[in-house]
Amino acid sequence: MLNRTYQWRPIRFRLKSQFLIPTFSLLFTKPSVSAANITSDDETSDPVREILNKASTSKDLFGNHSVRTLIPTLNSLQVDQIIGNLGLEDPDSAIDFFYLLRNEYGSCGSRVSQFVIGHLLAGKRRLKELRTVLEQMLQEEGSGSAPSLSELLENRFRAWDSNDLVWDMLAFAYSRSEMVHDALFVLAKMKYFKIQASILTYNSLLYNLRHTHIMWDVYEEIKASGTPQSAQTNSIVIDGLCGQSLLQEAVAFLQENEGKESKPCIVSFNTLMSRFCKVGYIDVAKSFFCMMFKYGLLPDAYSYNILIHGLCIAGSMEEALELTDDMERHGVQPDVVTYNILAKGFRLLGMMSWARKIIRQMLLKGLNPDVVTYTILICGHCQAGNIEEGFMLQEEMLSQGFQLNDIAYSVLLSSLCKRGQVGEALRLLHEMESTGLKPDVITYSILIHGLCKQGEVQEAIQLYNKMWLKRIFPNSFTHNAILLGLSEKGTLLEARMFFDSLTKSNLMENIVWFNIMIYRYAKVGKVREAVQLYEQIIEKGITPSIVTFNSLIYGFCKSRKLAEARTWLGMIKAHGLVPTDVTYTTLMNALCETGNIRGMFEVFREMEARAVEPTNITYTVIIKGLCKQQRLQESLQLLEVMHAKGSSPDEITYNTLIHCFCKARDMGKAFQLHNEMLLHNLQPSPVTYNILLNGLCVNGDLNDADRFFSSLQDQNIRLTKVAYTTLIKAHCAKGDVCKADTLFRQMVEKGFEISITDYSAVINRLCKKNLTIKVKVFLHVMLSDGITLDQQICFVMLNAFRRVGDLTSEFELLAKMIKCGLLPD
DNA sequence: CTAGGGTTAG
């Protein structure tokens, strides 16, 4: 007590303050807090004296009306004076006064007052409150404040009772607020004053530093300081080691340190199991689960949930359900998390009816769905393409008093983007922002990817820049999207430049960037460049993925180097990877294209032998192969197989078959297949119509083709340029130039871009029929369209003019050709 | 220490 009053003595403080007012006033407002005790009355302002008087006479200080009216008039100095005095006389009242100020007037007094209260709380071992007071202080001070706060504690409070405890709590609060450097500064000060830090403080610091090697310094210091370790200490180290991908070391650490001094800790085991599940070693996790029993530990709900989660992610739902039963048998009740994990497992497998069954079970248990439950359901519906159901669930959530979080919004955004409704997605982003949610790097990446997929790379880059402005930093996913957009929309060179800048500026290079580039090179037939990138991957020690190899194989197939493509199939196995449905389908497609149907079936048999499930694309390729051999009945049978297997044929499957029947001059069956598409809710594409139109032109009456074409136009069905050129060519060939002319004009009016090929197609056919007058008309239109001639079409026309004896036109054309440099002389 | 969101290939 004496010591305490000594520090509070106004004499020393006043002396100092007389010289230091300018700087000190910042921290201490004005001289002594306890001045009221000692100094003459005129130095103590009236409200302070009045409140202190009331405090000594009345029991219920704060129920007193006149005190209540005085409080709002107090300034910071006066608050310090009251707290300082009350603190000496009546700590409880001081604390009450402090809370009253904070809760009802939103003021916390100066740092001095806060530290006074801190010491009083520490003295009464009200540690949680002490932590709150300090954490609030640190929120306001921010990082880098440790030196000034330490100085205050050192100069003004060192001799106070419980001062050691406040120091420790200050370090702890800094650590919890993730101001690690400040925490270390305070710890250093404490070491200097020989104040022992508590294990809680050490653990918190250890936790914050667990992903760095400094973790060991803290750990060594804990040992050196002789502070008794808590059960938590070791599990933090274990988690840290796992986080640094040192799983072996983590296990070794557990074996060395657990169960020797104290009972081993469940948390350590849980941490290890969770980490091993995450990297796919579920069997290892299971063995830890069993080991717990040997150590005399009973797994808790976390242990079960972690293992159930691991099983669900691996798709072993049966085992996951068994373990859930086990859990109940051992008297550990499955909780909301357990059911959410199971529901997610079924969702991942696309088994939404089972997921709903799980949720029903949960409801029967009297557990209420939470935001995560709803998010899983929304995700499941969206995944199945039913966004509308997703939005209905959003409504339900809101009516249940849940607010959608950023993850639920991301799920909805992502499925809108996948459907190509990026505009809708952007609208949803605004809705999200208006509810106060902050889109994060994932949300932005989804949108950027959506925009890039739609070819709106400029907009994507704008969003990318906006993200930077909001200090949300793009990650490799974001860059994937931009690279993808550039490679699809821009030139290959542009994409390569962006790719090079990515690989140069990023320490962690991403296999997906390489895969995107390799695929692009493969697609345009630049296998050499693709292989060069593959060599770079190997040189840099990056692990290639199955996509890398599939893209390379695709490249060799595109360049008709099938033997090499097969060699690369061997490389997949050499790298410990497994060929996928894409691998085999790519090869099968290439063999089919070259007419090697036997080879195609050989690959298919290998695929079956390796138990790789064929997809609808695989079946479509086989159908294409069968069609090539005119095995029409078999291809129709395969279509039935697809329906039966639930491997739904898509629009391309039908287009393949329709094309095949058109070629076989069976237009009836072709149209029947078209109707079947509609029955299966498959929207025929412009390609479907081109195939049918061409079929009618080649096999049937041109009038049928015309009628079909107009009916499509009447229904406002989207058609491509090919539909027009198909009909135009047919009319040219049959000699109805008038009709061809009309269609050509229509095509131009629709805004399609017309090239020399389109004119050449018409002119070629007209020339064949010696319809040179019409040729001249088309030539004129073409030239006025700004299209330049090429040598090939000129010679065709010259020959035609010569045949019909139109010398004038022949010379005119020759003159034009010389002007364009199409003739040597 | 457990549950919910984003990437490349035919």
Side-chain angles (χ1 to χ4, degrees):
Chain A
M1 203 54 167
L2 260 179
N3 271 334
R4 185 205 280 189
T5 33
Y6 171 72
Q7 282 297 117
W8 275 118
R9 279 288 161 198
I11 304 106
R12 184 180 148 230
F13 194 43
R14 279 177 83 200
L15 273 175
K16 222 176 179 181
S17 69
Q18 279 167 354
F19 303 102
L20 295 172
I21 282 172
T23 44
F24 253 62
S25 59
L26 289 176
L27 257 181
F28 295 103
T29 329
K30 270 269 168 133
S32 178
V33 167
S34 55
N37 254 353
I38 296 111
T39 48
S40 61
D41 280 356
D42 58 294
E43 269 194 46
T44 312
S45 52
D46 283 335
V48 174
R49 206 173 47 217
E50 208 177 323
I51 290 177
L52 289 174
N53 280 338
K54 285 269 171 13
S56 55
T57 54
S58 142
K59 277 247 168 219
D60 181 16
L61 177 59
F62 306 110
N64 186 299
H65 179 72
S66 61
V67 171
R68 286 254 170 188
T69 51
L70 281 175
I71 289 176
T73 71
L74 296 173
N75 61 30
S76 180
L77 163 69
Q78 293 166 328
V79 168
D80 281 352
Q81 286 175 333
I82 293 168
I83 287 183
N85 277 288
L86 282 178
L88 293 173
E89 307 292 328
D90 180 4
D92 283 323
S93 291
I95 295 169
D96 288 346
F97 182 69
F98 178 79
Y99 281 152
L100 181 79
L101 277 176
R102 196 188 64 183
N103 297 340
E104 292 187 26
Y105 302 93
S107 112
C108 294
S110 68
R111 301 285 174 241
V112 175
S113 279
Q114 287 165 11
F115 272 136
V116 169
I117 294 299
H119 282 82
L120 297 178
L121 288 168
K124 296 190 168 291
R125 292 298 181 271
R126 288 155 72 170
L127 299 183
K128 219 171 164 184
E129 292 165 72
L130 166 60
R131 202 183 77 200
T132 312
V133 169
L134 291 181
E135 278 179 352
Q136 246 165 27
M137 191 195 288
L138 301 190
Q139 279 309 303
E140 288 164 22
E141 290 283 342
S143 65
S145 55
S148 66
L149 290 183
S150 296
E151 193 184 325
L152 185 55
L153 262 189
E154 181 185 340
N155 290 339
R156 298 285 307 280
F157 295 94
R158 188 67 198 99
W160 277 52
D161 295 342
S162 309
N163 181 253
D164 288 4
L165 206 54
V166 176
W167 276 101
D168 183 55
M169 195 59 92
L170 185 67
F172 184 58
Y174 267 125
S175 177
R176 270 179 59 102
S177 311
E178 290 179 342
M179 302 182 203
V180 182
H181 287 99
D182 292 273
L184 287 171
F185 182 91
V186 176
L187 269 183
K189 279 276 172 191
M190 289 168 71
K191 209 170 177 181
Y192 177 76
F193 293 126
K194 301 199 164 37
I195 303 171
Q196 174 81 265
S198 72
I199 190 62
L200 281 177
T201 304
Y202 277 128
N203 281 349
S204 170
L205 205 55
L206 198 61
Y207 182 80
N208 279 326
L209 294 166
R210 72 193 186 289
H211 295 314
T212 69
H213 62 273
I214 311 175
M215 172 179 86
W216 290 117
D217 297 340
V218 179
Y219 187 73
E220 288 309 322
E221 190 169 321
I222 294 176
K223 279 189 154 174
S225 71
T227 315
Q229 290 184 22
S230 74
Q232 210 75 19
T233 313
N234 285 340
S235 59
I236 295 169
V237 173
I238 289 172
D239 187 51
L241 286 169
C242 292
Q244 298 173 39
S245 313
L246 301 169
L247 292 173
Q248 294 294 331
E249 284 81 348
V251 176
F253 187 87
L254 180 122
Q255 282 166 343
E256 272 168 39
N257 294 284
E258 287 284 7
K260 287 200 172 155
E261 288 151 32
S262 57
K263 206 178 173 191
C265 172
I266 292 190
V267 183
S268 294
F269 281 95
N270 289 350
T271 307
L272 267 182
M273 290 199 313
S274 156
R275 294 289 191 165
F276 273 99
C277 282
K278 268 203 185 110
V279 290
Y281 296 132
I282 300 176
D283 287 337
V284 183
K286 272 189 209 163
S287 63
F288 282 116
F289 193 82
C290 299
M291 207 189 286
M292 286 169 78
F293 291 101
K294 281 186 200 149
Y295 276 91
L297 288 170
L298 286 177
D300 61 5
Y302 279 103
S303 323
Y304 280 102
N305 284 346
I306 289 166
L307 208 50
I308 292 170
H309 181 230
L311 290 165
C312 286
I313 294 296
S316 315
M317 291 312 294
E318 218 168 304
E319 221 181 322
L321 289 170
E322 272 170 28
L323 192 58
T324 312
D325 288 341
D326 246 33
M327 183 174 177
E328 265 189 285
R329 264 201 300 279
H330 283 86
V332 185
Q333 285 309 311
D335 56 11
V336 185
V337 175
T338 320
Y339 289 106
N340 284 346
I341 291 171
L342 289 168
K344 182 203 169 188
F346 283 117
R347 196 225 87 197
L348 283 174
L349 295 172
M351 299 163 75
M352 279 314 284
S353 58
W354 277 85
R356 275 192 295 272
K357 214 178 270 181
I358 292 291
I359 305 291
R360 266 200 301 278
Q361 257 184 50
M362 177 175 115
L363 293 171
L364 284 174
K365 287 259 172 186
L367 293 167
N368 289 323
D370 61 6
V371 187
V372 177
T373 320
Y374 275 108
T375 311
I376 293 170
L377 287 174
I378 290 178
C379 192
H381 286 298
C382 287
Q383 192 180 246
N386 197 348
I387 308 182
E388 287 67 30
E389 191 71 27
F391 280 113
M392 299 225 308
L393 278 165
Q394 177 188 18
E395 294 296 316
E396 193 185 316
M397 271 179 88
L398 295 176
S399 73
Q400 296 289 320
F402 288 115
Q403 184 54 255
L404 263 79
N405 57 20
D406 45 352
I407 295 182
Y409 269 113
S410 294
V411 172
L412 289 166
L413 275 170
S414 154
S415 30
L416 283 173
C417 285
K418 277 189 187 133
R419 233 196 230 182
Q421 301 176 329
V422 191
E424 274 296 291
L426 287 169
R427 195 195 52 72
L428 200 63
L429 175 74
H430 290 133
E431 182 188 311
M432 178 178 175
E433 282 174 321
S434 71
T435 63
L437 286 171
K438 300 237 182 307
D440 64 3
V441 57
I442 296 184
T443 323
Y444 275 111
S445 299
I446 292 169
L447 280 164
I448 289 172
H449 185 245
L451 285 166
C452 285
K453 271 269 168 190
Q454 288 294 105
E456 295 173 34
V457 187
Q458 282 315 313
E459 286 80 352
I461 290 172
Q462 269 172 26
L463 203 58
Y464 180 86
N465 291 334
K466 197 171 146 194
M467 191 174 159
W468 269 101
L469 285 178
K470 291 195 175 183
R471 319 221 104 242
I472 298 166
F473 300 113
N475 59 18
S476 66
F477 279 91
T478 330
H479 291 132
N480 291 342
I482 301 272
L483 182 60
L484 191 75
L486 283 177
S487 73
E488 259 172 18
K489 200 69 189 176
T491 62
L492 201 53
L493 194 71
E494 258 181 305
R496 182 60 195 250
M497 269 157 63
F498 184 67
F499 170 83
D500 285 340
S501 75
L502 280 179
T503 47
K504 258 195 209 98
S505 58
N506 280 277
L507 236 57
M508 288 291 290
E509 291 184 38
N510 185 349
I511 185 64
V512 178
W513 300 336
F514 282 90
N515 290 347
I516 293 172
M517 280 316 292
I518 288 178
Y519 173 70
R520 283 294 143 186
Y521 281 128
K523 201 172 175 102
V524 296
K526 298 193 171 185
V527 223
R528 224 187 35 185
E529 282 84 348
V531 175
Q532 267 168 11
L533 279 182
Y534 172 77
E535 280 160 0
Q536 249 189 62
I537 292 175
I538 301 300
E539 268 168 38
K540 293 187 174 183
I542 304 169
T543 318
S545 72
I546 186 63
V547 181
T548 320
F549 290 106
N550 288 349
S551 301
L552 282 164
I553 289 175
Y554 172 66
F556 284 108
C557 289
K558 267 250 145 168
S559 313
R560 299 184 173 275
K561 294 176 177 164
L562 265 74
E564 279 181 79
R566 270 186 185 276
T567 334
W568 282 87
L569 184 65
M571 292 284 276
I572 294 179
K573 292 161 195 167
H575 273 85
L577 292 165
V578 184
T580 61
D581 51 299
V582 178
T583 323
Y584 291 114
T585 310
T586 307
L587 274 170
M588 285 169 64
N589 186 52
L591 289 161
C592 176
E593 293 289 321
T594 56
N596 185 354
I597 309 300
R598 181 197 291 248
M600 179 192 84
F601 277 114
E602 264 167 33
V603 174
F604 182 57
R605 272 192 292 277
E606 186 184 333
M607 183 178 181
E608 282 187 315
R610 294 186 180 269
V612 178
E613 274 297 308
T615 64
N616 56 353
I617 303 178
T618 319
Y619 286 121
T620 305
V621 169
I622 299 177
I623 286 178
K624 191 163 69 177
L626 291 170
C627 288
K628 281 207 166 191
Q629 298 190 325
Q630 281 90 45
R631 293 153 72 176
L632 301 187
Q633 287 316 309
E634 282 170 80
S635 66
L636 284 177
Q637 277 164 11
L638 198 52
L639 186 68
E640 292 313 311
V641 171
M642 287 177 78
H643 280 300
K645 281 205 170 184
S647 171
S648 303
D650 62 10
E651 159 233 321
I652 298 176
T653 320
Y654 276 101
N655 287 351
T656 309
L657 275 165
I658 292 172
H659 182 72
C660 179
F661 280 94
C662 285
K663 258 175 121 179
R665 303 181 150 258
D666 188 348
M667 290 310 291
K669 188 68 196 172
F671 273 96
Q672 195 188 324
L673 283 162
H674 163 263
N675 294 339
E676 206 180 302
M677 274 178 95
L678 296 172
L679 276 177
H680 284 104
N681 243 340
L682 275 176
Q683 182 58 46
S685 70
V687 178
T688 320
Y689 296 118
N690 295 340
I691 295 168
L692 285 167
L693 274 169
N694 189 57
L696 287 172
C697 289
V698 175
N699 303 314
D701 193 341
L702 248 185
N703 288 328
D704 290 341
D706 282 336
R707 268 197 297 275
F708 185 50
F709 185 72
S710 344
S711 84
L712 291 175
Q713 279 184 321
D714 291 345
Q715 294 171 67
N716 249 336
I717 285 174
R718 194 167 61 89
L719 294 169
T720 57
K721 206 179 86 179
V722 183
Y724 288 86
T725 53
T726 306
L727 268 184
I728 291 167
K729 284 180 210 163
H731 280 295
C732 286
K734 294 262 158 95
D736 188 350
V737 185
C738 235
K739 184 80 191 163
D741 198 29
T742 321
L743 281 167
F744 206 97
R745 274 180 231 275
Q746 268 185 35
M747 178 169 76
V748 177
E749 273 166 30
K750 288 268 175 190
F752 289 116
E753 229 172 87
I754 315 293
S755 68
I756 176 100
T757 353
D758 303 312
Y759 282 99
S760 303
V762 174
I763 292 172
N764 264 318
R765 284 172 176 80
L766 294 177
C767 286
K768 245 183 212 160
K769 303 227 148 217
N770 293 334
L771 298 167
T772 46
I773 297 172
K774 284 287 170 189
V775 168
K776 280 189 275 184
V777 175
F778 267 95
L779 179 63
H780 181 72
V781 178
M782 173 175 151
L783 291 173
S784 61
D785 220 15
I787 289 172
T788 38
L789 292 162
D790 70 9
Q791 213 173 27
Q792 208 185 351
I793 196 64
C794 287
F795 284 129
V796 172
M797 285 189 284
L798 285 176
N799 284 333
F801 291 142
R802 199 167 299 154
R803 275 201 304 275
V804 297
D806 185 351
L807 281 179
T808 327
S809 302
E810 192 184 342
F811 287 131
E812 264 176 28
L813 183 56
L814 275 171
K816 276 198 191 88
M817 288 173 72
I818 292 168
K819 221 167 150 189
C820 302
L822 289 172
L823 272 186
D825 265 305

